[in-house]
Amino acid sequence: MPAFTFEKISPPVRRAPAATTPKKPRGLISQMIDRFAERRARRALQSERVVRQDEKPAE
């Protein structure tokens, strides 16, 4: 007969996440910055495409 035994400890019970708080609408300044950034990114892509077309080797 063993002198001692190990007690199996079960993992902690996972609880459901707390009720999610409703997201606040983004501020006006954040929305404006997003718009400017998006336009700037589009312009950069367009200018990159133009540069790539200009770099084609002449035959």
Side-chain angles (χ1 to χ4, degrees):
M1 180 177 256
F4 56 90
T5 60
F6 292 100
E7 188 176 324
K8 185 174 182 180
I9 300 172
S10 57
V13 177
R14 289 191 177 192
R15 297 181 182 160
T20 57
T21 57
K23 288 189 174 182
K24 291 183 181 178
R26 294 196 60 167
L28 182 64
I29 294 175
S30 297
Q31 290 176 359
M32 289 174 58
I33 291 173
D34 286 344
R35 287 184 199 144
F36 286 129
E38 186 177 335
R39 290 178 187 156
R40 189 175 193 177
R42 284 184 188 167
R43 249 186 274 133
L45 282 174
Q46 288 175 353
S47 65
E48 186 176 306
R49 288 180 188 156
V50 169
V51 169
R52 285 186 181 174
Q53 288 176 357
D54 292 343
E55 290 179 354
K56 288 185 179 178
E59 293 180 18

